[in-house]
Amino acid sequence: MVPNDAKHEPTSTVAVEFLDVGFSAGDRALLSGLNFAIQSGEALVLLGRSGSGKTTTMKLINRLLTPTNGHVNVQGKATTEWDVIQLRRQIGYVIQETGLFPHFTIERNVGLVPHLQNWQPKRIKARVHELLDLVGLEPAQFADRYPNQLSGGQRQRVGVARALAADPPILLMDEPFGALDPITRLELQQEFRRLQQELGKTVVFVTHDIQEAFVLASRIGLMQDGRLVVLGTAEEFLRSTEPEAQTFLKTLRTLDAVRGEE
């Protein structure tokens, strides 16, 4: 199901493009033969088991890693041709543990990147309050708190707000909800889906949870042993005969069976 002509898609709507990309650590190939494009405004979920290469693939986009072979283009330019600071200012990044500074207030955490970009204080404050409202945290209640005064779900919301603070066109999310309890996780999945549809950001989301992929993705990219073995919509994924896709789909069927017995 991986389209062979992905590299020939119209570049005017392509946010990120992988062209014959490989990545090795020492003599071990972690990624090979990646050829696909991510369209502006879509939510691509990279799904796969631990060690399949999904996080490594994501890190090539913001140049935390550099391809050993081929090129990754962001907004039409190879990552190696970007000034790395300017590149990362185009890309928000959310990780599982949020990475909030414990000695910064929530307002200061969210406003960090705009501050580094020399925004005026009034503009930063207005942007922070706007984003806290957007992610469901009342500014008057949360702006002056510290991360250790928030629940895990609230900290993840702050992490999303911080990633959006400078209005980057691309957002990378590396299993951001994986450590949360199931109810909070579902709430944040639904909230994030609403946000992505409202803001129209290009999102690359890493997970090993097929249910999460089905909730969030406009397309799902299934990775196995450093290769992209399926790329398509949820409906196309459901029809895939790829053995690894069938393995993931069995987890959905098992869950449905358990629910049917309740």
Side-chain angles (χ1 to χ4, degrees):
M1 282 182 62
V2 181
N4 294 324
D5 61 347
K7 67 179 75 177
H8 302 301
E9 295 177 58
T11 56
S12 61
T13 61
V14 172
V16 179
E17 196 170 20
F18 282 70
L19 300 173
D20 299 320
V21 171
F23 179 78
S24 298
D27 59 358
R28 183 185 172 205
L30 301 181
L31 300 173
S32 60
L34 295 183
N35 280 292
F36 66 98
I38 304 168
Q39 302 298 312
S40 296
E42 82 162 311
L44 175 68
V45 171
L46 293 177
L47 175 69
R49 307 186 198 202
S50 297
S52 62
K54 52 193 186 297
T55 294
T56 301
T57 300
M58 173 179 282
K59 288 181 177 180
L60 293 172
I61 298 172
N62 63 356
R63 206 172 154 190
L64 288 175
L65 297 172
T66 302
T68 308
N69 307 104
H71 301 281
V72 178
N73 292 343
V74 174
Q75 297 180 348
K77 184 164 67 172
T79 56
T80 51
E81 296 176 1
W82 280 87
D83 173 84
V84 69
I85 294 174
Q86 292 301 318
L87 173 66
R88 290 174 185 165
R89 286 179 178 173
Q90 305 297 309
I91 301 171
Y93 191 38
V94 185
I95 59 176
Q96 187 173 123
E97 299 301 325
T98 73
L100 300 179
F101 292 102
H103 56 292
F104 283 10
T105 64
I106 299 310
E107 181 169 323
R108 193 175 175 192
N109 264 292
V110 175
L112 179 62
V113 173
H115 174 75
L116 293 173
Q117 294 185 6
N118 298 313
W119 288 24
Q120 292 299 312
K122 286 185 179 179
R123 184 184 176 198
I124 294 174
K125 189 178 187 72
R127 178 63 172 164
V128 169
H129 285 216
E130 174 191 4
L131 287 168
L132 289 178
D133 272 329
L134 192 67
V135 300
L137 298 174
E138 171 58 46
Q141 183 179 355
F142 290 97
D144 293 331
R145 293 191 185 183
Y146 289 85
N148 65 0
Q149 297 174 307
L150 273 58
S151 69
Q154 289 168 340
R155 287 195 295 271
Q156 266 330 127
R157 290 174 184 264
V158 174
V160 171
R162 185 176 65 177
L164 293 170
D167 200 23
I170 300 168
L171 190 61
L172 307 182
M173 306 188 74
D174 192 359
E175 302 199 58
F177 309 142
L180 302 175
D181 67 83
I183 294 173
T184 302
R185 183 170 185 168
L186 179 59
E187 289 174 348
L188 283 184
Q189 288 168 356
Q190 294 171 338
E191 182 71 9
F192 181 75
R193 183 178 181 180
R194 179 191 66 79
L195 280 178
Q196 195 274 333
Q197 292 173 343
E198 179 178 330
L199 299 176
K201 299 293 182 186
T202 303
V203 176
V204 182
F205 192 107
V206 162
T207 186
H208 59 266
D209 184 339
I210 189 170
Q211 286 187 286
E212 187 162 67
F214 272 52
V215 170
L216 297 177
S218 54
R219 285 193 302 163
I220 299 170
L222 177 63
M223 300 202 68
Q224 181 181 24
D225 299 329
R227 302 183 68 88
L228 191 65
V229 295
V230 176
L231 179 61
T233 64
E235 291 76 14
E236 290 169 331
F237 194 98
L238 286 168
R239 296 195 300 268
S240 175
T241 58
E242 174 67 38
E244 186 72 353
Q246 287 297 311
T247 298
F248 271 88
L249 288 170
K250 283 178 185 176
T251 67
L252 286 180
R253 294 167 189 147
T254 299
L255 182 58
D256 287 342
V258 169
R259 287 172 174 166
E261 293 171 0
E262 293 176 349

